[in-house]
Amino acid sequence: MGLAHFELMQMADRIKIFPLVALAVVVVMGLVLYWVATRPRETKPDPVPEAPRPPAAPPKRTVEAPPPTTDPGQKILDGAEGAFTKKMFPTALMFYKDFELRYAGSEVYDRNITLVWERIHTSNAQCPPQQQEADLPAYLDKRRKLADEWKRLKPLMTVPPPAEAKAELEKFMESLPPMDGRRRIIDAWRESK
């Protein structure tokens, strides 16, 4: 019995140790797995998916200034409009009257004359009382009559006029103020004939 008993004892000791060894292996494996799961990872920059870009907005339309004009009459008219919108009425009145006188008969005059006469009235009415022109209604009435007469006579300048039409244009020219723009037009027409 001796040896067999001794081997059994050793075997029993081994059997008692086996569960402890198995338990130790499970615990160590659990700790290793826990450590792997919780340790900080290498900080490689993860590719961040780009946020979807909003659709490109259509280009903003900018209001561009009109191209610079070479017509001095249009420049004076633009200056008068600027003064009028900034409520600088005495200045606007001066510019509108200057335009109406010097560029009478021009294309820009014909396109804008109703607006110019309206602005002359409004500018004068908005001026301080000491700067208002009392004789403005009579002045504008005279200028309107000249404009109506010009509309009637201007077609005569496109064809060689008869002698009485020439006389009528000469008489009309004498009735015009010295700086009136229609004088230049009539002079140029006379020189071309």
Side-chain angles (χ1 to χ4, degrees):
M1 220 185 144
L3 188 57
H5 181 53
F6 178 72
E7 284 184 23
L8 279 175
M9 289 288 269
Q10 276 186 339
M11 195 187 246
D13 284 337
R14 280 190 217 153
I15 292 176
K16 288 182 188 174
I17 294 177
F18 180 73
L20 291 175
V21 171
L23 181 64
V25 169
V26 170
V27 168
V28 169
M29 290 294 284
L31 288 173
V32 169
L33 289 174
Y34 175 76
W35 177 76
V36 167
T38 60
R39 74 170 199 178
R41 297 202 171 141
E42 270 187 46
T43 54
K44 278 186 182 175
D46 289 336
V48 178
E50 288 186 28
R53 292 184 181 177
K60 289 184 178 180
R61 287 186 152 177
T62 56
V63 178
E64 294 181 20
T69 180
T70 57
D71 183 0
Q74 186 63 48
K75 286 182 181 181
I76 290 176
L77 192 57
D78 292 344
E81 276 297 304
F84 187 84
T85 41
K86 291 179 183 172
K87 300 184 183 203
M88 299 167 54
F89 297 112
T91 304
L93 178 61
M94 178 187 70
F95 277 126
Y96 283 122
K97 283 180 70 178
D98 182 54
F99 170 80
E100 198 279 330
L101 176 66
R102 293 195 314 153
Y103 294 95
S106 69
E107 185 180 319
V108 70
Y109 173 89
D110 292 341
R111 279 194 320 261
N112 296 293
I113 192 56
T114 305
L115 172 73
V116 169
W117 284 334
E118 177 186 300
R119 296 285 202 217
I120 289 173
H121 273 297
T122 306
S123 296
N124 190 51
Q126 296 295 327
C127 283
Q130 65 274 16
Q131 291 180 333
Q132 287 182 355
E133 296 182 17
D135 62 339
L136 189 70
Y139 169 82
L140 283 177
D141 187 48
K142 181 179 176 185
R143 297 300 294 168
R144 283 190 178 115
K145 286 179 182 174
L146 288 172
D148 290 341
E149 185 69 13
W150 177 249
K151 283 180 188 175
R152 187 180 70 75
L153 294 174
K154 189 175 182 181
L156 297 176
M157 296 172 60
T158 59
V159 294
E164 63 263 357
K166 277 186 178 181
E168 218 175 332
L169 278 166
E170 292 291 330
K171 183 179 175 188
F172 177 72
M173 187 171 167
E174 289 173 10
S175 70
L176 294 173
M179 295 294 292
D180 196 293
R182 292 172 281 225
R183 284 181 167 274
R184 290 188 309 265
I185 297 169
I186 295 171
D187 282 340
W189 173 75
R190 283 194 309 193
E191 288 174 9
S192 70
K193 298 297 170 198

